[in-house]
């Protein structure tokens, strides 16, 4: 593929501290798996570095401080690869995970990483849950749940919590079958783009006359002994997009149709979203004395009751396409699929511009940093 034909977006990101983050640049092409994992550390003379992998990276987290001392980040592929990014790249595989991996069991793709009490966890389709042990083994955790009538097995998409006996997982149930009309099937014949196929199925779901043939959200809590399902509002429960653990007693969940939940697994959750909201809330974090929420089109402040536009606004006319917001070391990071990386210090926004050399398919290195 020529460089001019490669137009990557930021599809995974994680900030580890002030001036330290890692992103995954890719196109998420089914027939051409390739990701440029880009690390930034402003303590180094050349702050940027890049690692190329022939996989699609779906999640990035900080490497546990007690393990892989030369690694700073861990990156997860949908096929169950874990890449430790640092002075040297270390590659591990989660046995049984993935779709096309030689050892795939059929459970499906992996979707996300979690860092809980210094231990990495991975979750994905087919109710897959894995945790990494002290001896560097990935062990599958059983989740006993029968598929609900009319639905496929649950797809886990996020995991977070204060401890290994107190964590949360969000996921969704997809319909067993959505029929595409013959005209749509012909137009998609030979098309290997997952985005086109997924959008076609979304339209089919929206137009389906049968109730229940839409994705439904689920959320669960593990207390060290048993799983408990967390009620989600909506006649067809809304999809949770993000879990943010502010404290063990104050956990936030945001999602589709303006869903905002707050609470914990012991005392329960209460809904503080508003009826009639249509926006999808993708990410939430606490920055200093306020909550910041990224929706599918903008950034907002949340005072515990209302969403208001975040000010000051980002410069530029392009509409935001938020990936996530994250607060660390008194800095608010905003990662955007297309608009890149911005930091807010409480007074002004600063854009961290990705060098064009890092956005090229063929990486030929970077010039030395000017003194």
């Amino acid at each position: 593929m020529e460089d001019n034909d490669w137009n990557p977006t930021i599809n995974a990101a994680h900030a580890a501290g002030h001036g330290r983050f890692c992103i995954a640049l890719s196109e998420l092409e089914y027939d051409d798996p390739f990701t440029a994992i880009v690390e930034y550390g402003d303590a180094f003379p050349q702050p940027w570095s890049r690692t190329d992998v022939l996989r699609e990276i779906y999640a990035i987290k900080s490497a546990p401080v007690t393990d892989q001392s030369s690694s700073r980040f861990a990156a997860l592929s949908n096929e169950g690869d874990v890449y430790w990014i640092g002075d040297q790249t270390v590659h591990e595989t989660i046995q049984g995970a993935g779709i096309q991996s030689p050892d795939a069991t059929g459970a499906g793709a992996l979707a996300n990483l979690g860092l809980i009490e210094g231990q990495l966890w991975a979750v994905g389709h087919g109710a897959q849950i894995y945790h990494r042990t002290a001896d560097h083994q990935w062990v599958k955790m059983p989740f006993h749940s029968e598929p609900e009538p009319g639905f496929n097995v649950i797809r886990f998409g996020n995991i977070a919590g204060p401890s290994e006996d107190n964590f949360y997982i969000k996921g969704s149930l997809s319909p067993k079958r959505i029929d595409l009309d013959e005209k749509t099937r012909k137009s998609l014949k030979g098309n290997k783009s997952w985005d086109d196929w997924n959008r076609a199925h979304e339209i089919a779901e929206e137009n389906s006359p049968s109730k229940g043939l839409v994705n439904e959200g689920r959320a669960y809590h593990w207390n060290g002994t048993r799983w408990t399902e967390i009620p989600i509002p909506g006649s067809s429960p809304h999809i949770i997009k993000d879990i943010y653990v502010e404290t063990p007693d104050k956990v936030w969940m945001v999602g589709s149709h303006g869903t905002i939940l707050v609470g914990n697994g012991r005392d329960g959750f209460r809904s503080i979203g508003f009826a009639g909201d249509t926006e999808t809330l993708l990410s939430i974090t606490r920055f200093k004395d306020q909550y910041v929420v990224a929706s599918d089109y903008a950034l907002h402040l949340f005072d515990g009751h209302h969403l208001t536009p975040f000010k000051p606004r980002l410069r530029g006319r392009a509409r935001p396409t938020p990936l996530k917001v994250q607060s660390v070391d008194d800095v608010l990071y905003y990662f955007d699929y297309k608009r890149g990386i911005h930091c807010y210090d409480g007074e002004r926004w600063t854009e961290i511009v990705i060098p064009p050399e890092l956005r090229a398919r063929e990486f030929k290195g970077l010039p030395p940093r000017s003194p």
Side-chain angles (χ1 to χ4, degrees):
M1 177 183 288
E2 297 293 332
D3 278 349
N4 292 337
D5 295 329
W6 196 56
N7 297 299
T9 57
I10 300 176
N11 290 293
H14 183 79
H18 191 286
R20 293 191 298 124
F21 60 81
C22 188
I23 61 173
L25 293 172
S26 67
E27 288 187 322
L28 297 183
E29 287 290 341
Y30 173 77
D31 58 343
D32 181 31
F34 176 83
T35 302
I37 303 173
V38 176
E39 183 184 0
Y40 181 88
D42 63 4
F44 298 95
Q46 170 51 264
W48 298 97
S49 61
R50 174 171 143 168
T51 302
D52 294 347
V53 297
L54 297 178
R55 291 293 196 192
E56 301 296 346
I57 297 300
Y58 276 63
I60 296 173
K61 282 289 185 292
S62 295
V65 296
T66 57
D67 193 13
Q68 299 287 351
S69 58
S70 66
S71 300
R72 293 176 287 272
F73 294 93
L76 175 76
S77 84
N78 58 336
E79 294 290 348
D81 304 273
V82 181
Y83 298 94
W84 298 87
I85 307 301
D87 298 333
Q88 292 183 337
T89 301
V90 177
H91 179 207
E92 296 178 352
T93 57
I94 300 176
Q95 296 296 309
I99 301 172
Q100 298 181 352
S101 300
D103 62 341
T105 60
L110 290 187
N112 218 329
L113 283 173
L115 185 60
I116 300 173
E117 213 171 28
Q119 184 182 55
L120 274 181
W121 294 69
V123 295
H125 298 182
Q128 292 178 93
I129 312 170
Y130 302 89
H131 65 93
R132 190 172 184 271
T133 63
D135 60 352
H136 305 178
Q137 300 299 312
W138 288 90
V139 178
K140 189 173 184 179
M141 180 179 182
F143 180 83
H144 301 293
S145 178
E146 293 296 324
E148 298 178 28
F151 291 95
N152 289 313
V153 68
I154 194 168
R155 296 181 173 188
F156 287 149
N158 203 347
I159 179 170
S163 67
E164 61 182 348
D165 58 1
N166 180 19
F167 63 79
Y168 305 83
I169 291 181
K170 68 93 172 174
S172 64
L173 292 172
S174 58
K176 281 188 175 180
R177 181 179 178 182
I178 292 292
D179 287 325
L180 301 180
D181 61 85
E182 188 63 25
K183 181 180 179 180
T184 301
R185 287 190 175 277
K186 286 182 178 179
S187 68
L188 290 172
K189 187 176 181 181
N191 189 343
K192 296 182 179 180
S193 171
W194 285 2
D195 289 340
D196 291 345
W197 278 96
N198 287 341
R199 182 56 187 151
H201 278 280
E202 287 175 3
I203 294 173
E205 290 173 0
E206 293 168 0
N207 296 334
S208 173
S210 301
K211 293 182 178 181
L213 290 181
V214 294
N215 289 340
E216 292 194 359
R218 295 291 186 271
Y220 301 91
H221 174 249
W222 172 254
N223 67 1
T225 304
R226 63 186 180 90
W227 292 100
T228 302
E229 184 173 341
I230 299 168
I232 302 176
S235 55
S236 177
H238 301 156
I239 306 294
I240 299 298
K241 295 292 186 178
D242 189 29
I243 304 170
Y244 171 59
V245 181
E246 183 177 352
T247 69
D249 294 329
K250 198 170 189 180
V251 178
W252 296 87
M253 298 186 186
V254 296
S256 62
H257 300 281
T259 297
I260 304 176
L261 305 177
V262 63
N264 59 70
R266 182 188 64 249
D267 303 319
F269 284 77
R270 59 189 176 95
S271 174
I272 52 177
F274 298 93
D277 281 0
T278 58
E279 65 235 312
T280 297
L281 307 181
L282 301 173
S283 181
I284 181 172
T285 190
R286 184 180 178 92
F287 175 62
K288 297 185 177 181
D289 60 348
Q290 55 194 351
Y291 297 100
V292 182
V293 176
S295 73
D296 53 358
Y297 67 93
L299 296 180
H300 312 267
L301 290 176
F302 179 61
D303 63 3
H305 301 282
H306 303 283
L307 291 171
T308 57
F310 188 100
K311 293 182 179 180
R313 297 178 182 271
L314 288 173
R315 295 180 179 179
R317 296 181 179 180
R319 176 175 172 170
T321 52
L323 172 63
K324 66 181 286 189
V325 286
Q326 183 187 354
S327 177
V328 58
D329 291 348
D330 287 330
V331 175
L332 176 67
Y333 282 89
Y334 168 55
F335 298 99
D336 188 290
Y337 285 101
K338 297 179 180 178
R339 295 187 64 180
I341 306 135
H342 295 76
C343 294
Y344 180 68
D345 62 5
E347 295 184 1
R348 62 182 62 85
W349 285 104
T350 301
E351 181 180 6
I352 300 178
V353 179
I354 304 171
E357 294 89 347
L358 292 171
R359 301 187 67 93
R361 174 67 179 252
E362 184 180 354
F363 182 48
K364 299 179 181 179
L366 289 162
R369 190 177 189 180
S370 301

